[in-house]
Every structure is written in C-alpha cells, then in structure tokens.
Amino acid sequence: MEYRINQRTKDKISMIGLGTGPLFEAGEEEAMQLLETAYQKGINYVDLATAGGKTFSYLGKTYSSVRDQMLYQIHFGADYKTGEYGWTTNLDTVKEQIDWQLKELKTNYIDYGFIHCLDEQSDWIAYQRNGVLDYLLKMKKEGVVHHIGLSSHTPKLAKEIIETGLVDQLMFSINPGYDMQYGEFANGSTSERMELYRLCEAKGIGISVMKPFSAGQLLNAKTSPFKKELSIYQCIQYALDKPGVLTVLPGIGNIKDLEEILHFFDVDPSFRDYSILGELSPEKTTGTCVYCNHCQPCPAGLNIGLINKYYDLAKIGDPMVKEHYLNLDKKASDCIACGHCDQRCPFHVKQSQRMKEIASYFSE
C-alpha cells in the first residue's frame, strides 16, 4: 500500500480506501473476512456512507481492536432507521443515528465527521437552519469529531462551503465521464471541476474519491459514454492524478473485487495508462493539462506535469507554490522546445508553448 498525507490534519491515508456501499450484501462472515484482508493489505481509510446498516456492526466486530489504526468518514445526515440508507437533515434523526453508529462501530470518536451529501443550495440552508451543522461543530469542540468533511457532487456548492474554512476533507465524485460532462453526477463544467480540485490542493484539503467507475458504467463498452471500456486501474490512476486527491474509495462487496483492486500497485504501468481518453474525449475538454505525465520522459529532464500543476495552483492564489517551483531542478525556462511533449500529449496540450508562458509567469 502507498499513502498520502492530508496537509491540514497530517493523517497518513491509504491511496486506496474502502467504499462500503455494497458490503452489507456479503453476509457477516465474508464481510468480516474482507475487512480483515483490507486491514492486512494496508487499507486504513473507510467511508461509511454505506447502503445497508449491517455494515457498521461488521466494522465494529472486525476493527475494534485496531480502531486507532483506522480512519472513518462518518456522515451526519445518513439515516439507517429502516436498515437501508436514507438521507436526512432532521436534527433529532441525525443525533439518534450518530449515537447508533458509534455504538455499532464500538468506538467513541469520529475521525472525519462529514457534512453529508449537499448538492443543492437549499440542502446547505436546511443543514444550517435545522441545527445539524451546529451539532457537528459541537461534537468537534467536545473532541468526539476530530475533523470536518464534506460530501457533494456539485463543484459550485462545494467551493462555497470550502471557502468557509470549515472543511478538512472533501468527498467528491471523480472519474473521466463526470469530468468530461457525461453522466448523472457530471455537475459543473470541466473547468469548474478542475478548479475545485486545485482549490483543495491549494488549501491543503484532501479529496477522497467516490464513484471512480461511475457505478461500473465506465468498465463496460456498452454503457461507457466513450463507447470503449476502461479498466479499474485506468480509472483509479485518473482519479489519483487529480490535484488534492488522497484516496480513491471504490465500492467493494467481496474479497475477489478487493484483491483485484489492490493489484493496482503491482500491475505494469501500461495497465494504468489512460491516455486513450485523449482520443475519445469531446473537443471542448481537450487542451488542458491533467498532469498525467504521458509526455514523459522529457529530453530536457522537465517534470512537465508537476510544472503545470504548480502554475495552475499559483494562478488561483496558492502562496507556497512559487517556492516549490523555484526549488525544482529543471524549470519551464529549461525547455528546449523540441516538441516531444506536444507530440505525446493525449489531451492535445501545446506544452512547449505553455512552458514559455509558465517561465514568464514565474520570472515576474
């Protein structure tokens, strides 16, 4: 397993976490075996916006002895009164559910308490007006909640809430389909979505990725908006390459799926290469660097993806980026304009021209 650090909380988070959506369907014995395997393989981050309430007891029974080594996302607004997932902004229901979830999990604290699933402005208003936000903040003040998170599918609203300074972790839906404006949760333009990822990185806010396979649609040529299937490894790498992303949370319902996903770290890099998207994407989404580094190796030794990322972050006001850029061994000014990157870029970015633009920006 490989890990990334949340710059605001300093938590060390496994790059592949556990999405528990389908876990309750496995049955107790298999679910607990799956959870034990995940722990043994180094997964330490678990999202608990699950589809079924039984999931909480499975985690409680499996992880109570190693609770201090696990990080839980728990959602203030997820309702399991019926045994299945529901959504609420009713304060009494939220309180009852949090008490019940903590009891089932055999824990007395929450690593990341999430403002849950706000997609409309009216959701955010209700969350505040009904007292749920105050309750979450009270739990943080008391030390029950360690950090505040937010889950959303809407870049504009997510950005508004992030700007309040409350949020340390964002759960957001990232995959090639949504980012290129295909699918039910493809909210916001391509540029708005990328701007959100950059904002999170600039503020040190981590992103945990939900729906990396677009509910499996991207894995099947018949349902993929690109009319070509992608692999789970391409989708995971695509998400991990986005600014701010710390962990990808695929929904895992059986051990076979878990073992296949964890092969991500030892498959040949060619299986993770998603450059084919450059040929499949609509014209309006090309011409933007997505930091995939498919242009490597650069004959002049430039880390082109990282140089682009620093430039994009600097333009949105990250005060630390210029120093990071200036500490690079090779900078944009070292570009020899050989055109190698222009020819290799799957997203048709004119990188050699962009290097001149970046060199000028940082020299000023």
Side-chain angles (χ1 to χ4, degrees):
M1 181 56 64
E2 297 178 23
Y3 300 84
R4 292 178 174 178
I5 305 295
N6 181 306
Q7 295 304 312
R8 288 168 71 103
T9 71
K10 307 308 178 186
D11 284 328
K12 180 181 175 183
I13 295 174
S14 55
M15 285 168 52
I16 292 179
L18 194 62
T20 60
L23 185 61
F24 79 106
E25 298 174 345
E28 182 172 308
E29 184 177 350
E30 183 177 5
M32 290 177 65
Q33 186 180 351
L34 185 158
L35 291 169
E36 178 62 29
T37 302
Y39 169 74
Q40 294 295 338
K41 296 293 186 180
I43 288 177
N44 73 344
Y45 198 87
V46 183
D47 176 63
L48 281 157
T50 179
K54 292 180 181 178
T55 299
F56 295 92
S57 67
Y58 298 161
L59 265 80
K61 292 174 182 177
T62 308
Y63 289 154
S64 59
S65 64
V66 293
R67 173 67 182 93
D68 62 334
Q69 299 174 49
M70 305 301 296
L71 297 166
Y72 292 165
Q73 287 188 173
I74 295 179
H75 297 255
F76 284 59
D79 178 10
Y80 296 94
K81 284 187 298 185
T82 67
E84 297 181 357
Y85 170 79
W87 180 83
T88 183
T89 57
N90 178 276
L91 179 59
D92 289 338
T93 302
V94 170
K95 288 181 176 181
E96 291 170 3
Q97 285 297 301
I98 292 299
D99 288 345
W100 176 81
Q101 289 176 36
L102 289 172
K103 181 180 178 181
E104 293 293 298
L105 290 168
K106 301 182 186 300
T107 188
N108 59 3
Y109 69 94
I110 295 167
D111 303 283
Y112 290 85
F114 265 66
I115 301 167
H116 180 56
C117 197
L118 304 189
D119 287 342
E120 304 287 343
Q121 187 69 34
S122 57
D123 299 337
W124 180 221
I125 292 170
Y127 207 85
Q128 297 172 85
R129 184 178 57 217
N130 296 355
V132 183
L133 179 62
D134 287 340
Y135 171 61
L136 173 56
L137 294 176
K138 177 176 177 287
M139 295 279 275
K140 184 174 187 296
K141 186 176 181 180
E142 293 172 351
V144 178
V145 170
H146 293 175
H147 311 293
I148 303 292
L150 165 70
S151 64
S152 178
H153 301 95
T154 306
K156 183 178 179 181
L157 182 60
K159 182 180 178 183
E160 177 186 334
I161 299 172
I162 283 170
E163 294 288 10
T164 66
L166 292 171
V167 176
D168 295 317
Q169 184 92 336
L170 171 69
M171 188 183 191
F172 198 74
S173 49
I174 300 178
N175 64 58
Y178 294 167
D179 280 354
M180 297 172 192
Q181 299 181 272
Y182 295 115
E184 180 184 0
F185 295 109
N187 298 331
S189 66
T190 300
S191 60
E192 283 178 311
R193 295 175 69 86
M194 187 62 82
E195 183 181 351
L196 175 63
Y197 312 151
R198 292 172 184 148
L199 178 66
C200 286
E201 175 137 329
K203 290 184 173 292
I205 296 168
I207 301 176
S208 52
V209 175
M210 58 178 161
K211 301 180 175 67
F213 313 137
S214 187
Q217 292 179 338
L218 295 174
L219 310 180
N220 188 319
K222 293 182 179 179
T223 56
S224 170
F226 305 111
K227 308 305 179 187
K228 183 178 178 64
E229 71 177 46
L230 298 175
S231 73
I232 59 174
Y233 308 123
Q234 287 171 310
C235 293
I236 291 171
Q237 188 65 61
Y238 176 88
L240 287 171
D241 283 345
K242 296 296 159 285
V245 169
L246 302 182
T247 184
V248 178
L249 304 168
I252 301 173
N254 58 64
I255 293 174
K256 181 181 177 182
D257 287 347
L258 174 64
E259 291 175 342
E260 183 181 14
I261 284 169
L262 288 175
H263 279 310
F264 172 82
F265 294 105
D266 37 57
V267 297
D268 188 277
S270 63
F271 289 95
R272 302 195 294 262
D273 179 4
Y274 54 86
S275 59
I276 186 66
L277 289 170
E279 301 173 18
L280 305 174
S281 306
E283 186 176 339
K284 63 184 176 182
T285 66
T286 59
T288 300
C289 182
V290 298
Y291 323 120
C292 68
N293 271 327
H294 191 71
C295 51
Q296 297 290 17
C298 169
L302 278 66
N303 186 331
I304 296 170
L306 189 58
I307 289 171
N308 272 277
K309 181 184 285 190
Y310 286 162
Y311 177 51
D312 291 333
L313 291 171
K315 288 196 299 180
I316 66 168
D318 186 336
M320 300 297 293
V321 166
K322 185 171 184 179
E323 182 180 349
H324 294 326
Y325 173 81
L326 293 175
N327 284 332
L328 291 173
D329 291 335
K330 297 283 187 176
K331 303 173 182 61
S333 56
D334 294 309
C335 175
I336 59 176
C338 65
H340 175 268
C341 52
D342 297 335
Q343 295 170 13
R344 286 184 56 81
C345 180
F347 296 92
H348 314 296
V349 180
K350 296 178 180 178
Q351 292 283 11
S352 55
Q353 179 177 323
R354 190 166 162 86
M355 289 301 110
K356 294 179 183 178
E357 178 184 326
I358 295 172
S360 176
Y361 179 88
F362 281 112
S363 68
E364 293 173 359

